[in-house]
Amino acid sequence: MIKKTLMGLTAAALLASATACGSTTQPAASANPPTSSVSPAPTTPKPADNPSPPPATPAEPAKPIQTAPEGTAPAPQTPSTPPAAAVPQAAAKLYKLNPKSYDIVPIDSAATNKNVVLLTFDDGPKDKDMLEPLLETLDKHHAKAIFFVNGYRVKQKPELIKLITDHGHMIGNHSWDHIDLKKENKDKIDQQIGDVQKQITELTGKAPQFFRPPFGSGGDLVREKVKQENMLFMTWSNGSLDWEMTTKNNNPDKVVSNVLEQLRPGSNILMHELQWTVQAMDKLLTQLEQKNYGFVDPATIDTTL
């Protein structure tokens, strides 16, 4: 009887313990939860409006700077070669001198304008205040000229040679002393012509290519020396007669009319560095242009023909 009672009490205690444990334990999740009957559409990711840049590649660790051991001379640096200077192109030769008339004529008359004149100025360089306005007028009309200079004047004012060449004009040889070379012996002729060649070469780096004898007077000895110096001998074919005027008696308009009265295609016009000629220049060049004449660039004259 007692044994049955004890067994009942034990069973009751076990039942109470199991009931207490069940009140605090959550039921286990189902191994196969219920699923929806509609399969969700696969989601395609949209590109960002401003895509991010790809991740940067990690920089390689900086390499240690290699230094030469103490006492070791640095390796010599190879100097860089400077670019070659541009070589100026020589002007095409379009004209030549008629040795009988001293006019300037086209080498190829079918391809080159014949209505041109050559502008020349003798007996300089004289004065900067007179030369500058003359050069400005020539620039205004895009005209080039030959300035036939005397050595003794160049010696007095060598800076004026640079002024002339800086404006793109040619320097011509007009002898050293402006004497009548036809009356001189060979030695004197060689000195008068040769000294100017050396002088201008030293100042400009280029010897004159044109020679005009003072007073237009030159014999065989003069021509021979000119040829030896690789120059072209010329006088003129159109004289402005500006040299006949004086400081007290001059007329710029007369300089213009003198040239226009003798005008013809190829006129080789002789003028001088004189105040009244400078004053006449703008009017003269304007009227030549109105008559459809151009101005020969001396650089286009072939001095070998």
Side-chain angles (χ1 to χ4, degrees):
M1 183 67 176
I2 294 171
K3 185 176 181 180
K4 290 182 178 180
T5 301
L6 288 175
M7 290 180 63
L9 291 173
T10 301
L14 290 174
L15 179 62
S17 176
T19 302
C21 290
S23 63
T24 60
T25 302
Q26 297 294 328
S30 172
N32 296 305
T35 59
S36 170
S37 60
V38 179
S39 300
T43 303
T44 302
K46 295 183 179 180
D49 291 338
N50 295 307
S52 302
T57 303
E60 294 184 3
K63 296 181 179 179
I65 299 174
Q66 299 287 336
T67 58
E70 292 185 6
T72 303
Q77 298 292 324
T78 303
S80 59
T81 304
V87 178
Q89 297 295 320
K93 302 303 181 182
L94 304 175
Y95 295 92
K96 63 182 179 179
L97 181 73
N98 182 323
K100 294 182 179 180
S101 67
Y102 295 110
D103 285 337
I104 302 300
V105 297
I107 295 174
D108 183 355
S109 58
T112 307
N113 180 22
K114 69 176 183 178
N115 285 336
V116 294
V117 298
L118 175 65
L119 306 174
T120 69
F121 300 90
D122 286 13
D123 300 356
K126 291 183 178 179
D127 183 76
K128 183 179 180 181
D129 291 339
M130 183 166 54
L131 183 58
E132 284 186 326
L134 174 59
L135 294 172
E136 289 172 1
T137 301
L138 293 171
D139 286 347
K140 173 184 176 182
H141 292 271
H142 307 287
K144 302 302 180 187
I146 303 174
F147 285 77
F148 285 101
V149 301
N150 296 120
Y152 81 94
R153 291 189 184 275
V154 175
K155 185 177 180 180
Q156 294 169 355
K157 298 181 178 180
E159 69 280 2
L160 296 184
I161 295 299
K162 184 177 187 302
L163 181 60
I164 293 170
T165 57
D166 282 352
H167 282 260
H169 303 289
M170 284 275 194
I171 301 297
N173 188 327
H174 199 41
S175 83
W176 189 274
D177 288 309
H178 203 281
I179 58 178
D180 187 347
L181 296 178
K182 198 171 185 178
K183 299 178 180 179
E184 304 296 333
N185 60 35
K186 184 179 185 303
D187 289 342
K188 187 67 172 180
I189 290 171
D190 289 351
Q191 175 266 318
Q192 286 286 311
I193 297 175
D195 285 0
V196 176
Q197 289 297 93
K198 294 175 184 177
Q199 179 188 51
I200 299 303
T201 301
E202 290 174 358
L203 289 173
T204 68
K206 187 176 182 180
Q209 301 177 51
F210 301 92
F211 178 81
R212 175 175 283 161
F215 315 108
S217 177
D220 292 340
L221 290 177
V222 173
R223 291 177 178 273
E224 181 181 339
K225 178 60 176 176
V226 169
K227 186 175 182 180
Q228 289 175 357
E229 296 289 348
N230 298 313
M231 288 188 290
L232 180 63
F233 181 101
M234 69 166 64
T235 58
W236 60 89
S237 64
N238 184 324
S240 67
L241 302 180
D242 59 353
W243 62 91
E244 294 184 351
M245 301 178 189
T246 65
T247 303
K248 293 182 179 180
N249 184 18
N250 64 79
N251 184 349
D253 287 341
K254 187 61 177 173
V255 173
V256 175
S257 62
N258 286 341
V259 171
L260 296 181
E261 287 170 5
Q262 305 169 69
L263 183 63
R264 66 188 184 203
S267 284
N268 184 343
I269 304 173
L270 167 62
M271 295 172 284
H272 294 77
E273 288 185 40
L274 296 168
Q275 190 59 51
W276 44 93
T277 303
V278 174
Q279 293 171 359
M281 196 53 48
D282 187 50
K283 182 177 181 180
L284 173 61
L285 300 186
T286 298
Q287 292 198 18
L288 288 171
E289 290 169 332
Q290 290 172 348
K291 293 178 180 294
N292 295 319
Y293 274 83
F295 309 113
V296 172
D297 183 343
T300 65
I301 300 174
D302 193 330
T303 59
T304 65
L305 299 178

